[in-house]
Amino acid sequence: MGIQPGARAILIDAPVEAVDAMHLPDIEINTALNGDFDYIHLFIKEQSNLREQFPVLKSHLKSGGMLWVSWPKGGQLETDLNIKNIIKIGYDFGLVESTSLSITAIWSGLKFTHPKKGKEYHNSYGQLKI
């Protein structure tokens, strides 16, 4: 997942089994969204909630940090999220995706970072508005 030991982190609505499956290094896990973070991980099931939370979380993301968004795979847990609409939301709010992985049998994860200056980002799911 690319998380370095000592990173300042926050996990939001993370199921215990997903946290256990991630095998995180020794990091500073915070319980309040105060200040800037190296690693933010949001577990979410609804597009409308992701649209609300994404810009708030982005505002707390360090310039070299990563924002992971996890959602239930294949429509499990009555989610309306999928990788396509998550990437589009990320682009809509100015972050780019880089890595996707399976966390558990239920949860997938997608890593977002700040875009690199001078690079264009677009794919079939969206285009970054710079």
Side-chain angles (χ1 to χ4, degrees):
M1 293 182 70
I3 303 154
Q4 299 299 314
R8 186 163 192 268
I10 187 165
L11 308 175
I12 302 166
D13 297 328
V16 172
E17 67 275 7
V19 175
D20 291 345
M22 290 188 292
H23 304 289
L24 297 170
D26 186 21
I27 56 177
E28 175 193 335
I29 298 179
N30 292 262
T31 57
L33 192 61
N34 294 322
D36 292 334
F37 293 87
D38 301 297
Y39 166 53
I40 300 171
H41 200 141
L42 172 66
F43 287 77
I44 195 154
K45 295 188 278 185
E46 297 176 353
Q47 275 188 69
S48 59
N49 288 344
L50 181 57
R51 281 205 170 276
E52 288 174 17
Q53 291 192 49
F54 205 99
V56 174
L57 297 177
K58 179 188 172 191
S59 72
H60 289 278
L61 187 62
K62 288 183 179 179
S63 64
M66 62 187 88
L67 167 58
W68 280 86
V69 175
S70 285
W71 72 100
K73 299 175 194 178
Q76 294 181 74
L77 306 180
E78 300 179 17
T79 187
D80 63 351
L81 288 167
N82 60 52
I83 195 166
K84 293 176 183 179
N85 56 34
I86 294 170
I87 290 171
K88 181 170 182 342
I89 291 168
Y91 276 24
D92 288 349
F93 290 105
L95 293 182
V96 295
E97 89 288 355
S98 63
T99 304
S100 175
L101 54 77
S102 175
I103 295 174
T104 67
I106 294 175
W107 295 96
S108 285
L110 185 61
K111 176 181 166 182
F112 287 93
T113 59
H114 290 283
K116 294 179 181 174
K117 291 185 193 291
K119 185 172 178 184
E120 287 189 36
Y121 296 90
H122 54 84
N123 58 34
S124 59
Y125 310 134
Q127 183 168 348
L128 184 62
K129 300 170 186 170
I130 298 178

